[in-house]
Amino acid sequence: MKSILSKGWRVAAAAIMASALLITSACGNGGNSGTGENGGDRPAAAAKGELTLVIGAYSVAKDAFDILLPKFASKWKAETGQTIVFQESYEASGTQARAIAGGFEADIAALAMESDIEKIEKAGFITSDWRKVGSGGMITRSIAVMGTREGNPKGIRDWSDLTREGIKVLYPNPKTSGGAQWDINAMYGAGLKESEAKTGKKDPAYAKAFLERIHENVESLDKSGRASMAAFEYGVGDVIVTYENELLARIKKGVKYEIVTPKSTILIENPAAIVDVNVDKHGTRKAAEALLAYLFSEEAQRIFAENGFRPVNEKVMEEFKADFKTPEDLFDISYLGGWAEVRKLLYSPKGVWYQVLAGL
């Protein structure tokens, strides 16, 4: 097996140079301050008559939040007369979850997957049932797809093409990126689907071997989905495995991608939750609850859709259905046994992914 680590060094310079195009680890709206990259900063003191809300989000959500947060602030100002200052941190989902669980005082966490919210919950910072809000706690959906260069010069059509000799594949590191876990879940699940079609039952050994063959062609494992995309746009690799919404958003900005939707892929669901301990400490619960409710509103869901996310609001999804292709064999996390089983099966210290990484 080729060394991903050594290949990573060869592409590191390219990724760093390209990161300025895509990656903002922390920022604020309207000149507001943001948290540091490690997510450890405390909220800045708000001016008199102002209220600060601290947002800890995964990096993919940034473009939509850049639109959503000012709109919510305007509504809040009109309704209450109070100015909201946002302090924002955008990181790879796993990194963000660990920061909040470790003491970064986010009022709202918007992350890539429910298992990252559960890390914060298990650390004692989320004490309410966050799944009762909105659509089971999920604010957006997407699917795992592949992106190629304009014209799809390598003729990528399905996951199996990623196993071909000479194809260079990019996706991020599952240790830090929730997006990477969705990517791996999709490919492993596709392997299960293929084995099921051939034999009538799921074959984990077949799925693992399928994942291994793809991994042989992985060019680098970046920290986040945004870092992988930055490297790809700088010229690294032939195909990137990522969220559909990421590619749609980049295409909207004029970047030349071809989206390849696999026959079998996974439905991605992205949660948001109030971090109870922090909102009670900061006295921001009312505003945080209002913001979370706004994210499920038709207006907000349309903004998510315009930024490439599949809305969880069914009415809005119906409005935008022409923008989203339905895969032939779409499955969700339950097909893999649910997140508890997936964490144990794929991402535990002796799990399938780490066996693949180690060549075991």
mmCIF file of all heavy atoms in Angstrom, residues 265-316:
data_model
loop_
_atom_site.group_PDB
_atom_site.id
_atom_site.type_symbol
_atom_site.label_atom_id
_atom_site.label_comp_id
_atom_site.label_asym_id
_atom_site.label_seq_id
_atom_site.Cartn_x
_atom_site.Cartn_y
_atom_site.Cartn_z
ATOM 1 N N THR A 265 -25.518 5.557 -2.700
ATOM 2 C CA THR A 265 -24.819 6.500 -1.833
ATOM 3 C C THR A 265 -25.679 6.786 -0.612
ATOM 4 O O THR A 265 -26.823 6.348 -0.513
ATOM 5 C CB THR A 265 -24.449 7.788 -2.596
ATOM 6 O OG1 THR A 265 -23.504 8.540 -1.807
ATOM 7 C CG2 THR A 265 -25.666 8.651 -2.892
ATOM 8 N N ILE A 266 -25.099 7.540 0.314
ATOM 9 C CA ILE A 266 -25.744 7.719 1.614
ATOM 10 C C ILE A 266 -26.410 9.092 1.730
ATOM 11 O O ILE A 266 -25.918 10.089 1.187
ATOM 12 C CB ILE A 266 -24.718 7.523 2.758
ATOM 13 C CG1 ILE A 266 -25.420 7.300 4.103
ATOM 14 C CG2 ILE A 266 -23.741 8.689 2.835
ATOM 15 C CD1 ILE A 266 -24.502 6.737 5.187
ATOM 16 N N LEU A 267 -27.533 9.114 2.425
ATOM 17 C CA LEU A 267 -28.195 10.364 2.781
ATOM 18 C C LEU A 267 -27.484 10.955 3.985
ATOM 19 O O LEU A 267 -27.366 10.320 5.037
ATOM 20 C CB LEU A 267 -29.665 10.119 3.117
ATOM 21 C CG LEU A 267 -30.462 11.348 3.575
ATOM 22 C CD1 LEU A 267 -30.632 12.339 2.431
ATOM 23 C CD2 LEU A 267 -31.812 10.940 4.149
ATOM 24 N N ILE A 268 -26.999 12.176 3.820
ATOM 25 C CA ILE A 268 -26.288 12.880 4.884
ATOM 26 C C ILE A 268 -27.269 13.777 5.627
ATOM 27 O O ILE A 268 -28.068 14.478 5.004
ATOM 28 C CB ILE A 268 -25.146 13.721 4.281
ATOM 29 C CG1 ILE A 268 -24.077 12.793 3.684
ATOM 30 C CG2 ILE A 268 -24.546 14.670 5.310
ATOM 31 C CD1 ILE A 268 -23.094 13.512 2.786
ATOM 32 N N GLU A 269 -27.219 13.767 6.948
ATOM 33 C CA GLU A 269 -28.073 14.641 7.753
ATOM 34 C C GLU A 269 -27.197 15.403 8.743
ATOM 35 O O GLU A 269 -26.382 14.812 9.443
ATOM 36 C CB GLU A 269 -29.134 13.827 8.488
ATOM 37 C CG GLU A 269 -30.111 13.137 7.535
ATOM 38 C CD GLU A 269 -31.229 12.438 8.266
ATOM 39 O OE1 GLU A 269 -30.938 11.421 8.934
ATOM 40 O OE2 GLU A 269 -32.383 12.902 8.180
ATOM 41 N N ASN A 270 -27.390 16.718 8.775
ATOM 42 C CA ASN A 270 -26.533 17.604 9.565
ATOM 43 C C ASN A 270 -27.313 18.266 10.692
ATOM 44 O O ASN A 270 -28.292 18.960 10.434
ATOM 45 C CB ASN A 270 -25.930 18.679 8.670
ATOM 46 C CG ASN A 270 -25.345 18.115 7.384
ATOM 47 O OD1 ASN A 270 -25.767 18.486 6.313
ATOM 48 N ND2 ASN A 270 -24.397 17.202 7.488
ATOM 49 N N PRO A 271 -26.908 18.063 11.945
ATOM 50 C CA PRO A 271 -27.664 18.571 13.090
ATOM 51 C C PRO A 271 -27.181 19.930 13.614
ATOM 52 O O PRO A 271 -26.066 20.365 13.341
ATOM 53 C CB PRO A 271 -27.405 17.500 14.152
ATOM 54 C CG PRO A 271 -25.991 17.075 13.870
ATOM 55 C CD PRO A 271 -25.831 17.155 12.358
ATOM 56 N N ALA A 272 -28.056 20.552 14.379
ATOM 57 C CA ALA A 272 -27.695 21.738 15.157
ATOM 58 C C ALA A 272 -28.367 21.625 16.513
ATOM 59 O O ALA A 272 -29.462 21.064 16.629
ATOM 60 C CB ALA A 272 -28.129 23.014 14.453
ATOM 61 N N ALA A 273 -27.715 22.143 17.538
ATOM 62 C CA ALA A 273 -28.264 22.036 18.893
ATOM 63 C C ALA A 273 -27.818 23.211 19.742
ATOM 64 O O ALA A 273 -26.730 23.769 19.548
ATOM 65 C CB ALA A 273 -27.822 20.730 19.544
ATOM 66 N N ILE A 274 -28.663 23.563 20.688
ATOM 67 C CA ILE A 274 -28.301 24.546 21.705
ATOM 68 C C ILE A 274 -27.401 23.870 22.732
ATOM 69 O O ILE A 274 -27.669 22.749 23.171
ATOM 70 C CB ILE A 274 -29.561 25.109 22.375
ATOM 71 C CG1 ILE A 274 -30.312 26.012 21.392
ATOM 72 C CG2 ILE A 274 -29.220 25.889 23.651
ATOM 73 C CD1 ILE A 274 -31.664 26.462 21.870
ATOM 74 N N VAL A 275 -26.330 24.539 23.100
ATOM 75 C CA VAL A 275 -25.419 24.018 24.124
ATOM 76 C C VAL A 275 -25.896 24.589 25.460
ATOM 77 O O VAL A 275 -25.569 25.714 25.840
ATOM 78 C CB VAL A 275 -23.961 24.401 23.824
ATOM 79 C CG1 VAL A 275 -23.027 23.721 24.821
ATOM 80 C CG2 VAL A 275 -23.592 23.991 22.386
ATOM 81 N N ASP A 276 -26.701 23.795 26.154
ATOM 82 C CA ASP A 276 -27.472 24.293 27.304
ATOM 83 C C ASP A 276 -26.618 24.940 28.383
ATOM 84 O O ASP A 276 -26.961 26.016 28.891
ATOM 85 C CB ASP A 276 -28.268 23.130 27.916
ATOM 86 C CG ASP A 276 -29.303 22.584 26.955
ATOM 87 O OD1 ASP A 276 -30.320 23.248 26.733
ATOM 88 O OD2 ASP A 276 -29.083 21.491 26.409
ATOM 89 N N VAL A 277 -25.543 24.303 28.765
ATOM 90 C CA VAL A 277 -24.709 24.838 29.850
ATOM 91 C C VAL A 277 -24.204 26.230 29.488
ATOM 92 O O VAL A 277 -24.186 27.141 30.330
ATOM 93 C CB VAL A 277 -23.538 23.885 30.147
ATOM 94 C CG1 VAL A 277 -22.509 24.552 31.056
ATOM 95 C CG2 VAL A 277 -24.047 22.589 30.783
ATOM 96 N N ASN A 278 -23.830 26.418 28.236
ATOM 97 C CA ASN A 278 -23.265 27.703 27.822
ATOM 98 C C ASN A 278 -24.320 28.802 27.697
ATOM 99 O O ASN A 278 -24.094 29.942 28.114
ATOM 100 C CB ASN A 278 -22.506 27.537 26.514
ATOM 101 C CG ASN A 278 -21.279 26.654 26.672
ATOM 102 O OD1 ASN A 278 -20.758 26.496 27.771
ATOM 103 N ND2 ASN A 278 -20.817 26.065 25.574
ATOM 104 N N VAL A 279 -25.492 28.477 27.123
ATOM 105 C CA VAL A 279 -26.510 29.528 26.994
ATOM 106 C C VAL A 279 -27.011 29.972 28.367
ATOM 107 O O VAL A 279 -27.303 31.155 28.577
ATOM 108 C CB VAL A 279 -27.694 29.103 26.102
ATOM 109 C CG1 VAL A 279 -27.234 28.861 24.680
ATOM 110 C CG2 VAL A 279 -28.437 27.906 26.657
ATOM 111 N N ASP A 280 -27.097 29.033 29.304
ATOM 112 C CA ASP A 280 -27.521 29.405 30.652
ATOM 113 C C ASP A 280 -26.448 30.237 31.350
ATOM 114 O O ASP A 280 -26.745 31.179 32.090
ATOM 115 C CB ASP A 280 -27.860 28.154 31.460
ATOM 116 C CG ASP A 280 -29.132 27.470 30.960
ATOM 117 O OD1 ASP A 280 -29.942 28.145 30.289
ATOM 118 O OD2 ASP A 280 -29.313 26.272 31.227
ATOM 119 N N LYS A 281 -25.206 29.915 31.103
ATOM 120 C CA LYS A 281 -24.108 30.690 31.669
ATOM 121 C C LYS A 281 -24.079 32.100 31.097
ATOM 122 O O LYS A 281 -23.845 33.082 31.815
ATOM 123 C CB LYS A 281 -22.780 29.986 31.397
ATOM 124 C CG LYS A 281 -21.556 30.729 31.916
ATOM 125 C CD LYS A 281 -20.285 29.935 31.634
ATOM 126 C CE LYS A 281 -19.053 30.671 32.158
ATOM 127 N NZ LYS A 281 -17.815 29.888 31.900
ATOM 128 N N HIS A 282 -24.345 32.222 29.786
ATOM 129 C CA HIS A 282 -24.259 33.515 29.108
ATOM 130 C C HIS A 282 -25.559 34.312 29.167
ATOM 131 O O HIS A 282 -25.568 35.490 28.798
ATOM 132 C CB HIS A 282 -23.888 33.316 27.633
ATOM 133 C CG HIS A 282 -22.618 32.573 27.410
ATOM 134 N ND1 HIS A 282 -22.362 31.846 26.257
ATOM 135 C CD2 HIS A 282 -21.518 32.429 28.203
ATOM 136 C CE1 HIS A 282 -21.170 31.295 26.349
ATOM 137 N NE2 HIS A 282 -20.641 31.624 27.512
ATOM 138 N N GLY A 283 -26.652 33.659 29.580
ATOM 139 C CA GLY A 283 -27.947 34.322 29.579
ATOM 140 C C GLY A 283 -28.486 34.556 28.181
ATOM 141 O O GLY A 283 -29.164 35.560 27.922
ATOM 142 N N THR A 284 -28.220 33.622 27.273
ATOM 143 C CA THR A 284 -28.575 33.804 25.859
ATOM 144 C C THR A 284 -29.604 32.778 25.373
ATOM 145 O O THR A 284 -29.795 32.640 24.163
ATOM 146 C CB THR A 284 -27.311 33.685 24.977
ATOM 147 O OG1 THR A 284 -26.656 32.425 25.251
ATOM 148 C CG2 THR A 284 -26.339 34.821 25.251
ATOM 149 N N ARG A 285 -30.256 32.080 26.276
ATOM 150 C CA ARG A 285 -31.132 30.986 25.846
ATOM 151 C C ARG A 285 -32.250 31.471 24.911
ATOM 152 O O ARG A 285 -32.520 30.840 23.886
ATOM 153 C CB ARG A 285 -31.741 30.266 27.059
ATOM 154 C CG ARG A 285 -32.700 29.130 26.643
ATOM 155 C CD ARG A 285 -33.151 28.306 27.819
ATOM 156 N NE ARG A 285 -32.079 27.474 28.347
ATOM 157 C CZ ARG A 285 -31.730 26.292 27.817
ATOM 158 N NH1 ARG A 285 -32.366 25.827 26.746
ATOM 159 N NH2 ARG A 285 -30.774 25.589 28.355
ATOM 160 N N LYS A 286 -32.897 32.560 25.251
ATOM 161 C CA LYS A 286 -34.026 33.011 24.445
ATOM 162 C C LYS A 286 -33.585 33.298 23.011
ATOM 163 O O LYS A 286 -34.238 32.878 22.039
ATOM 164 C CB LYS A 286 -34.655 34.267 25.059
ATOM 165 C CG LYS A 286 -35.900 34.737 24.325
ATOM 166 C CD LYS A 286 -36.532 35.936 25.033
ATOM 167 C CE LYS A 286 -37.784 36.421 24.285
ATOM 168 N NZ LYS A 286 -38.397 37.600 24.966
ATOM 169 N N ALA A 287 -32.475 33.997 22.851
ATOM 170 C CA ALA A 287 -31.980 34.332 21.514
ATOM 171 C C ALA A 287 -31.493 33.081 20.794
ATOM 172 O O ALA A 287 -31.714 32.916 19.586
ATOM 173 C CB ALA A 287 -30.855 35.356 21.607
ATOM 174 N N ALA A 288 -30.830 32.181 21.508
ATOM 175 C CA ALA A 288 -30.332 30.950 20.893
ATOM 176 C C ALA A 288 -31.483 30.082 20.405
ATOM 177 O O ALA A 288 -31.428 29.513 19.305
ATOM 178 C CB ALA A 288 -29.468 30.181 21.882
ATOM 179 N N GLU A 289 -32.544 29.970 21.211
ATOM 180 C CA GLU A 289 -33.715 29.189 20.798
ATOM 181 C C GLU A 289 -34.382 29.813 19.576
ATOM 182 O O GLU A 289 -34.843 29.102 18.675
ATOM 183 C CB GLU A 289 -34.703 29.072 21.958
ATOM 184 C CG GLU A 289 -34.217 28.148 23.075
ATOM 185 C CD GLU A 289 -35.174 28.079 24.252
ATOM 186 O OE1 GLU A 289 -36.090 28.924 24.325
ATOM 187 O OE2 GLU A 289 -35.003 27.174 25.103
ATOM 188 N N ALA A 290 -34.419 31.150 19.548
ATOM 189 C CA ALA A 290 -35.023 31.837 18.401
ATOM 190 C C ALA A 290 -34.194 31.615 17.134
ATOM 191 O O ALA A 290 -34.742 31.403 16.046
ATOM 192 C CB ALA A 290 -35.152 33.326 18.694
ATOM 193 N N LEU A 291 -32.879 31.633 17.266
ATOM 194 C CA LEU A 291 -32.015 31.392 16.111
ATOM 195 C C LEU A 291 -32.182 29.964 15.599
ATOM 196 O O LEU A 291 -32.310 29.734 14.387
ATOM 197 C CB LEU A 291 -30.554 31.661 16.466
ATOM 198 C CG LEU A 291 -29.527 31.276 15.384
ATOM 199 C CD1 LEU A 291 -29.826 31.975 14.062
ATOM 200 C CD2 LEU A 291 -28.108 31.601 15.859
ATOM 201 N N LEU A 292 -32.204 29.013 16.519
ATOM 202 C CA LEU A 292 -32.361 27.620 16.097
ATOM 203 C C LEU A 292 -33.698 27.423 15.389
ATOM 204 O O LEU A 292 -33.769 26.758 14.346
ATOM 205 C CB LEU A 292 -32.252 26.687 17.303
ATOM 206 C CG LEU A 292 -32.167 25.185 16.993
ATOM 207 C CD1 LEU A 292 -30.961 24.872 16.112
ATOM 208 C CD2 LEU A 292 -32.100 24.374 18.281
ATOM 209 N N ALA A 293 -34.756 28.020 15.928
ATOM 210 C CA ALA A 293 -36.070 27.930 15.278
ATOM 211 C C ALA A 293 -36.024 28.564 13.897
ATOM 212 O O ALA A 293 -36.624 28.048 12.937
ATOM 213 C CB ALA A 293 -37.132 28.603 16.151
ATOM 214 N N TYR A 294 -35.307 29.666 13.763
ATOM 215 C CA TYR A 294 -35.196 30.338 12.467
ATOM 216 C C TYR A 294 -34.525 29.442 11.428
ATOM 217 O O TYR A 294 -34.908 29.446 10.246
ATOM 218 C CB TYR A 294 -34.411 31.641 12.625
ATOM 219 C CG TYR A 294 -34.101 32.314 11.308
ATOM 220 C CD1 TYR A 294 -35.115 32.899 10.547
ATOM 221 C CD2 TYR A 294 -32.797 32.338 10.814
ATOM 222 C CE1 TYR A 294 -34.829 33.490 9.323
ATOM 223 C CE2 TYR A 294 -32.509 32.935 9.601
ATOM 224 C CZ TYR A 294 -33.526 33.505 8.853
ATOM 225 O OH TYR A 294 -33.247 34.082 7.642
ATOM 226 N N LEU A 295 -33.548 28.649 11.849
ATOM 227 C CA LEU A 295 -32.846 27.777 10.906
ATOM 228 C C LEU A 295 -33.767 26.741 10.275
ATOM 229 O O LEU A 295 -33.483 26.231 9.188
ATOM 230 C CB LEU A 295 -31.665 27.086 11.598
ATOM 231 C CG LEU A 295 -30.544 27.997 12.093
ATOM 232 C CD1 LEU A 295 -29.457 27.185 12.781
ATOM 233 C CD2 LEU A 295 -29.954 28.822 10.945
ATOM 234 N N PHE A 296 -34.891 26.443 10.936
ATOM 235 C CA PHE A 296 -35.877 25.507 10.389
ATOM 236 C C PHE A 296 -36.982 26.223 9.601
ATOM 237 O O PHE A 296 -37.848 25.569 9.021
ATOM 238 C CB PHE A 296 -36.516 24.687 11.514
ATOM 239 C CG PHE A 296 -35.558 23.723 12.175
ATOM 240 C CD1 PHE A 296 -35.009 24.018 13.409
ATOM 241 C CD2 PHE A 296 -35.205 22.538 11.559
ATOM 242 C CE1 PHE A 296 -34.124 23.135 14.021
ATOM 243 C CE2 PHE A 296 -34.326 21.658 12.153
ATOM 244 C CZ PHE A 296 -33.781 21.958 13.391
ATOM 245 N N SER A 297 -36.957 27.548 9.588
ATOM 246 C CA SER A 297 -38.007 28.308 8.911
ATOM 247 C C SER A 297 -37.892 28.142 7.398
ATOM 248 O O SER A 297 -36.839 27.765 6.861
ATOM 249 C CB SER A 297 -37.907 29.786 9.277
ATOM 250 O OG SER A 297 -36.762 30.375 8.665
ATOM 251 N N GLU A 298 -38.984 28.434 6.690
ATOM 252 C CA GLU A 298 -38.966 28.327 5.229
ATOM 253 C C GLU A 298 -37.923 29.263 4.621
ATOM 254 O O GLU A 298 -37.217 28.893 3.676
ATOM 255 C CB GLU A 298 -40.349 28.623 4.659
ATOM 256 C CG GLU A 298 -41.365 27.520 4.945
ATOM 257 C CD GLU A 298 -42.711 27.763 4.288
ATOM 258 O OE1 GLU A 298 -42.797 28.677 3.429
ATOM 259 O OE2 GLU A 298 -43.673 27.057 4.632
ATOM 260 N N GLU A 299 -37.809 30.475 5.157
ATOM 261 C CA GLU A 299 -36.820 31.412 4.630
ATOM 262 C C GLU A 299 -35.413 30.845 4.746
ATOM 263 O O GLU A 299 -34.630 30.854 3.776
ATOM 264 C CB GLU A 299 -36.899 32.751 5.361
ATOM 265 C CG GLU A 299 -35.859 33.761 4.873
ATOM 266 C CD GLU A 299 -35.908 35.080 5.627
ATOM 267 O OE1 GLU A 299 -35.367 35.144 6.750
ATOM 268 O OE2 GLU A 299 -36.485 36.029 5.077
ATOM 269 N N ALA A 300 -35.073 30.356 5.930
ATOM 270 C CA ALA A 300 -33.733 29.816 6.144
ATOM 271 C C ALA A 300 -33.501 28.562 5.307
ATOM 272 O O ALA A 300 -32.413 28.357 4.738
ATOM 273 C CB ALA A 300 -33.521 29.515 7.623
ATOM 274 N N GLN A 301 -34.517 27.714 5.221
ATOM 275 C CA GLN A 301 -34.374 26.489 4.443
ATOM 276 C C GLN A 301 -34.178 26.798 2.955
ATOM 277 O O GLN A 301 -33.438 26.092 2.257
ATOM 278 C CB GLN A 301 -35.582 25.590 4.653
ATOM 279 C CG GLN A 301 -35.635 24.965 6.050
ATOM 280 C CD GLN A 301 -34.592 23.871 6.240
ATOM 281 O OE1 GLN A 301 -34.599 22.877 5.521
ATOM 282 N NE2 GLN A 301 -33.693 24.059 7.197
ATOM 283 N N ARG A 302 -34.787 27.856 2.457
ATOM 284 C CA ARG A 302 -34.559 28.265 1.064
ATOM 285 C C ARG A 302 -33.120 28.743 0.871
ATOM 286 O O ARG A 302 -32.497 28.468 -0.153
ATOM 287 C CB ARG A 302 -35.546 29.363 0.666
ATOM 288 C CG ARG A 302 -36.963 28.861 0.478
ATOM 289 C CD ARG A 302 -37.887 29.921 -0.129
ATOM 290 N NE ARG A 302 -39.251 29.402 -0.198
ATOM 291 C CZ ARG A 302 -40.184 29.639 0.723
ATOM 292 N NH1 ARG A 302 -39.914 30.418 1.772
ATOM 293 N NH2 ARG A 302 -41.395 29.116 0.585
ATOM 294 N N ILE A 303 -32.608 29.452 1.867
ATOM 295 C CA ILE A 303 -31.217 29.910 1.788
ATOM 296 C C ILE A 303 -30.272 28.715 1.801
ATOM 297 O O ILE A 303 -29.298 28.667 1.032
ATOM 298 C CB ILE A 303 -30.905 30.891 2.934
ATOM 299 C CG1 ILE A 303 -31.664 32.202 2.709
ATOM 300 C CG2 ILE A 303 -29.404 31.158 3.041
ATOM 301 C CD1 ILE A 303 -31.664 33.135 3.896
ATOM 302 N N PHE A 304 -30.558 27.743 2.640
ATOM 303 C CA PHE A 304 -29.745 26.519 2.619
ATOM 304 C C PHE A 304 -29.810 25.876 1.235
ATOM 305 O O PHE A 304 -28.785 25.453 0.680
ATOM 306 C CB PHE A 304 -30.240 25.532 3.679
ATOM 307 C CG PHE A 304 -29.743 25.799 5.072
ATOM 308 C CD1 PHE A 304 -30.627 25.902 6.141
ATOM 309 C CD2 PHE A 304 -28.389 25.920 5.331
ATOM 310 C CE1 PHE A 304 -30.171 26.130 7.429
ATOM 311 C CE2 PHE A 304 -27.910 26.150 6.613
ATOM 312 C CZ PHE A 304 -28.803 26.254 7.668
ATOM 313 N N ALA A 305 -31.008 25.775 0.671
ATOM 314 C CA ALA A 305 -31.171 25.154 -0.650
ATOM 315 C C ALA A 305 -30.397 25.915 -1.718
ATOM 316 O O ALA A 305 -29.775 25.313 -2.602
ATOM 317 C CB ALA A 305 -32.648 25.075 -1.010
ATOM 318 N N GLU A 306 -30.433 27.236 -1.648
ATOM 319 C CA GLU A 306 -29.702 28.061 -2.618
ATOM 320 C C GLU A 306 -28.200 27.881 -2.478
ATOM 321 O O GLU A 306 -27.441 28.181 -3.418
ATOM 322 C CB GLU A 306 -30.091 29.531 -2.436
ATOM 323 C CG GLU A 306 -31.508 29.825 -2.906
ATOM 324 C CD GLU A 306 -32.055 31.133 -2.365
ATOM 325 O OE1 GLU A 306 -31.337 31.818 -1.591
ATOM 326 O OE2 GLU A 306 -33.213 31.474 -2.698
ATOM 327 N N ASN A 307 -27.760 27.382 -1.331
ATOM 328 C CA ASN A 307 -26.342 27.108 -1.102
ATOM 329 C C ASN A 307 -26.009 25.622 -1.247
ATOM 330 O O ASN A 307 -24.954 25.179 -0.799
ATOM 331 C CB ASN A 307 -25.930 27.625 0.280
ATOM 332 C CG ASN A 307 -25.703 29.123 0.292
ATOM 333 O OD1 ASN A 307 -24.597 29.589 0.047
ATOM 334 N ND2 ASN A 307 -26.761 29.876 0.542
ATOM 335 N N GLY A 308 -26.921 24.873 -1.875
ATOM 336 C CA GLY A 308 -26.622 23.495 -2.247
ATOM 337 C C GLY A 308 -27.079 22.422 -1.295
ATOM 338 O O GLY A 308 -26.957 21.232 -1.600
ATOM 339 N N PHE A 309 -27.617 22.801 -0.120
ATOM 340 C CA PHE A 309 -28.100 21.813 0.839
ATOM 341 C C PHE A 309 -29.502 21.344 0.460
ATOM 342 O O PHE A 309 -30.301 22.121 -0.074
ATOM 343 C CB PHE A 309 -28.155 22.412 2.251
ATOM 344 C CG PHE A 309 -26.813 22.711 2.858
ATOM 345 C CD1 PHE A 309 -26.258 23.981 2.736
ATOM 346 C CD2 PHE A 309 -26.107 21.740 3.554
ATOM 347 C CE1 PHE A 309 -25.022 24.275 3.301
ATOM 348 C CE2 PHE A 309 -24.876 22.028 4.121
ATOM 349 C CZ PHE A 309 -24.327 23.296 3.992
ATOM 350 N N ARG A 310 -29.815 20.098 0.757
ATOM 351 C CA ARG A 310 -31.177 19.591 0.598
ATOM 352 C C ARG A 310 -31.970 20.008 1.844
ATOM 353 O O ARG A 310 -31.596 19.639 2.963
ATOM 354 C CB ARG A 310 -31.171 18.070 0.425
ATOM 355 C CG ARG A 310 -30.446 17.639 -0.836
ATOM 356 C CD ARG A 310 -30.474 16.145 -1.066
ATOM 357 N NE ARG A 310 -29.814 15.833 -2.329
ATOM 358 C CZ ARG A 310 -30.231 14.946 -3.220
ATOM 359 N NH1 ARG A 310 -31.334 14.237 -2.965
ATOM 360 N NH2 ARG A 310 -29.574 14.736 -4.346
ATOM 361 N N PRO A 311 -33.054 20.749 1.673
ATOM 362 C CA PRO A 311 -33.816 21.228 2.838
ATOM 363 C C PRO A 311 -34.455 20.070 3.608
ATOM 364 O O PRO A 311 -34.839 19.058 3.024
ATOM 365 C CB PRO A 311 -34.890 22.121 2.227
ATOM 366 C CG PRO A 311 -34.438 22.412 0.837
ATOM 367 C CD PRO A 311 -33.625 21.243 0.407
ATOM 368 N N VAL A 312 -34.593 20.253 4.921
ATOM 369 C CA VAL A 312 -35.357 19.286 5.716
ATOM 370 C C VAL A 312 -36.834 19.651 5.716
ATOM 371 O O VAL A 312 -37.682 18.813 6.029
ATOM 372 C CB VAL A 312 -34.829 19.195 7.171
ATOM 373 C CG1 VAL A 312 -33.393 18.690 7.195
ATOM 374 C CG2 VAL A 312 -34.938 20.544 7.887
ATOM 375 N N ASN A 313 -37.141 20.893 5.374
ATOM 376 C CA ASN A 313 -38.531 21.328 5.236
ATOM 377 C C ASN A 313 -39.077 20.767 3.926
ATOM 378 O O ASN A 313 -38.578 21.093 2.839
ATOM 379 C CB ASN A 313 -38.599 22.860 5.237
ATOM 380 C CG ASN A 313 -40.008 23.399 5.136
ATOM 381 O OD1 ASN A 313 -40.677 23.222 4.126
ATOM 382 N ND2 ASN A 313 -40.463 24.081 6.186
ATOM 383 N N GLU A 314 -40.095 19.924 4.002
ATOM 384 C CA GLU A 314 -40.585 19.211 2.826
ATOM 385 C C GLU A 314 -41.175 20.160 1.780
ATOM 386 O O GLU A 314 -41.054 19.932 0.573
ATOM 387 C CB GLU A 314 -41.611 18.154 3.236
ATOM 388 C CG GLU A 314 -41.023 17.033 4.093
ATOM 389 C CD GLU A 314 -39.838 16.339 3.443
ATOM 390 O OE1 GLU A 314 -39.852 16.161 2.211
ATOM 391 O OE2 GLU A 314 -38.884 15.981 4.159
ATOM 392 N N LYS A 315 -41.838 21.225 2.230
ATOM 393 C CA LYS A 315 -42.392 22.201 1.289
ATOM 394 C C LYS A 315 -41.288 22.854 0.479
ATOM 395 O O LYS A 315 -41.389 22.997 -0.755
ATOM 396 C CB LYS A 315 -43.207 23.260 2.042
ATOM 397 C CG LYS A 315 -43.777 24.338 1.135
ATOM 398 C CD LYS A 315 -44.550 25.384 1.934
ATOM 399 C CE LYS A 315 -45.053 26.516 1.030
ATOM 400 N NZ LYS A 315 -45.770 27.555 1.820
ATOM 401 N N VAL A 316 -40.222 23.245 1.157
ATOM 402 C CA VAL A 316 -39.107 23.892 0.463
ATOM 403 C C VAL A 316 -38.385 22.880 -0.432
ATOM 404 O O VAL A 316 -37.977 23.208 -1.552
ATOM 405 C CB VAL A 316 -38.134 24.532 1.476
ATOM 406 C CG1 VAL A 316 -36.940 25.160 0.752
ATOM 407 C CG2 VAL A 316 -38.853 25.581 2.317
#
